[in-house]
Amino acid sequence: MHELVIVSGIVEAVSDLARREGKRILTFTVAVGELASFDKNLIEELLNEVKKGSLIEDAEARIEIERAEVLCKSCEAIWGFSDLIEPLGENEREMIHFLPELVSSFSKCPKCGSRDLEIRSGRGIRVSYVEFEE
Ligand SMILES: [Zn+2]
């Protein structure tokens, strides 16, 4: 299972951090990209399962959704992915859902009209916050 590999990597990375800092970790937050094809509930479930018996067993795992942003490479404006695709038709939105890169085929920069758009964030999964014990 893809998610299990990802979650194991996260637990390992956060445990490493605790080891390096020599401190206990109270909470950590995992940011799941809006466009990442991960099941948020499954990630949360697996995190709680995988961290059992690890150095961060007692740390509270939180999940947040990271908003996807699109950069216009022409004028350097940054737009919310969902705002850009909102005015599109249902079919176009459906296609973009499966292949987010298509955003530059169907959308234009609202400011300068360029189609030179690049997805900047919201595609991956990462640890966004770690709280250590004082
Ligand atoms: Zn632009």
Side-chain angles (χ1 to χ4, degrees), residues 9-58:
I10 289 172
V11 169
E12 213 168 286
V14 177
S15 300
D16 266 1
L17 200 60
R19 206 172 290 124
R20 273 207 310 271
E21 294 287 322
K23 287 182 187 164
R24 222 164 62 87
I25 287 176
L26 301 178
T27 64
F28 63 101
T29 305
V30 173
V32 180
E34 188 186 334
L35 302 175
S37 48
F38 296 120
D39 180 334
K40 180 177 170 272
N41 295 327
L42 179 59
I43 295 282
E44 189 163 24
E45 216 171 278
L46 287 172
L47 270 175
N48 287 320
E49 201 54 47
V50 171
K51 73 184 173 71
K52 276 182 198 159
S54 80
L55 202 57
I56 56 165
E57 175 164 14
D58 298 328

Side-chain angles (χ1 to χ4, degrees), residues 72-77 79 109-114 117:
C72 170
K73 287 162 89 180
S74 253
C75 73
E76 295 188 331
W79 307 98
C109 171
K111 192 172 157 197
C112 74
S114 168
L117 305 171

Side-chain angles (χ1 to χ4, degrees), residues 99-133:
L99 199 58
E101 282 76 16
L102 286 175
V103 70
S104 56
S105 310
F106 296 127
S107 291
K108 283 189 276 201
C109 171
K111 192 172 157 197
C112 74
S114 168
R115 289 189 187 274
D116 199 2
L117 305 171
E118 186 184 82
I119 298 169
R120 288 291 298 280
S121 62
R123 308 213 60 180
I125 183 167
R126 65 191 179 91
V127 177
S128 59
Y129 177 75
V130 174
E131 185 190 1
F132 292 100
E133 190 180 48

